[in-house]
Amino acid sequence: MKEVVILGAGYAGLSTLKALQKKAGDFHITLVDQNDYHYEATALHEVAAGTVPKEKITYPIKEVVNTKVTTFLQDRVVKINTDKQEVELENNTALKYDYLVVALGFRSETFGISGAEENALEMVNIESAVNINNHINAMLKKYKETQDKKYLKFVVCGAGFTGIELLGSLAEMKPKYAKVAGVKPEEIEIYCVEAATRLLPMFNEKLANFAIGKLEGLGVKLLTGKPIKGIKPETVVYQDNAETEELAELEAATIIWTTGVSGSFVMGESGFAERRGRVMVGEDLRDPDHENVYIIGDVSAVMDPESGRPFPTTAQIALKMGDFTAHNILRQLNNQATETFTFKSQGSVASIGNTIGLGQVGNTSVKGYPASFLKKIIMNKSLAATGGMKQMFAKGRFDLYH
Ligand SMILES: Cc1cc2nc3c(=O)[nH]c(=O)nc-3n(C[C@H](O)[C@H](O)[C@H](O)COP(=O)(O)OP(=O)(O)OC[C@H]3O[C@@H](n4cnc5c(N)ncnc54)[C@H](O)[C@@H]3O)c2cc1C
């Protein structure tokens, strides 16, 4: 009996599991995750802002585990020892594998900016998203005690896809935040500091401008072309003038870091040929140095032959990689050659709160309510891909009409 070990129960890990469990054979699967639940990472900003509770975007991993073929182990992966074909865990003895699927996902990247780790809040998993929401509520209550305006101020660092979605959810919550603080919604101030001048490069300029217009309409102040130079306690330091390199400071009690992500620290700890926690995998999604190790999702980089650059890391590609990895492992188990992974992005859709969105699907642009509708359909599809119809009906988004 061969042992297949899957590390990580995110989009990539669970789609591998789901596809492998459909094809019982002469193998046993062990799935490892540090949590006993799966979370929809694409909706973390909603938990952080407080528009949905964490229960809405999580479900127990055991609900998707077929115990006849799979053992689930809740533990933290510390290191992978490819020479011994073993995975080191925090609390259990090392796990032996014949085939390994590494799907440990993303973490926050500070790009070495001083003070970012200590003084800004990261948003990378349920724990950190809940932490942001608790922090926001605590600051709003502090305003009531002190009347200090810094407690009504939020700064989102970075206006990438994640930052824009977070800004939309925070802006949507302004009336509720105002109620907690006992002020008018206009008194809640939401800023975004971003180095680039052209936002949302994954979308055409018209769509990006639509997003900017909507956010500004909701009172968000976008400071673009302002590289962040450091984060001090309750203060963002940024370059205000590119020519004079003059710095400026923005004081706020809530500073959230969304400038970028890298892959899990485990990749570097384990000696893989990685860059920012990502390993450039071969065409069949295997580590070029190990024929029984697949590296997928946000810990991998897959070359897009069309652009000559790696595909952006997304839930969309992570799901496809998981499915394809199961296919290739089954081929290896049957002594067949592995096949080449191909990917065609179906486009992407960003949300600005619950009822506005914008996106590009092929050559078609969608914006406003239809895009928000589409976003919910995509989220439901991805829930079904990891958790099946049961999770989709239990946790899906069906508030499609407004
Ligand atoms: C706010 C936000 C919005 C996004 N929106 C979109 C979108 O609209 N469309 C899209 O396609 N993508 C989107 N993304 C990106 C997408 O979420 C990621 O690309 C995706 O989550 C990657 O999937 P994954 O399975 O590789 O990793 P993850 O989803 O990060 O899952 C990793 C799993 O590994 C576990 N794990 C991590 N470290 C360890 C360890 N040491 N030991 C044990 N377990 C561990 C974690 O608990 C988790 O279950 C968004 C991301 C964010 C943050």
Side-chain angles (χ1 to χ4, degrees), residues 10-12 33-35 42 77 104-106 161 297-298 314-316 375:
Y11 297 95
D33 199 285
Q34 58 202 356
N35 304 312
T42 59
V77 176
L104 291 169
F106 65 91
F161 195 97
D298 275 24
T314 61
Q316 190 187 138
K375 176 92 183 174

Side-chain angles (χ1 to χ4, degrees), residues 102-114:
V102 191
L104 291 169
F106 65 91
R107 65 183 165 136
S108 186
E109 173 65 69
T110 61
F111 302 102
I113 292 175
S114 75

Side-chain angles (χ1 to χ4, degrees), residues 7-14 32-35 37-46 61 73 75-79 89 102-107 123-125 161-163 165-166 258 261 264-266 296-300 312-319 347-351 375 378-379:
L7 307 179
Y11 297 95
L14 284 194
V32 184
D33 199 285
Q34 58 202 356
N35 304 312
Y37 57 83
H38 163 83
Y39 57 92
E40 297 288 300
T42 59
L44 284 173
H45 59 288
E46 296 180 286
I61 290 171
L73 202 56
D75 207 339
R76 191 160 179 271
V77 176
V78 177
K79 196 176 162 186
L89 300 169
V102 191
L104 291 169
F106 65 91
R107 65 183 165 136
M123 187 181 71
V124 288
N125 50 30
F161 195 97
T162 305
E165 289 204 314
L166 175 63
T258 64
V261 291
S264 165
F265 75 93
V266 171
I296 59 174
D298 275 24
V299 283
S300 71
T313 51
T314 61
Q316 190 187 138
I317 193 168
L319 286 168
S348 53
V349 183
S351 61
K375 176 92 183 174
I378 294 168
M379 290 178 84

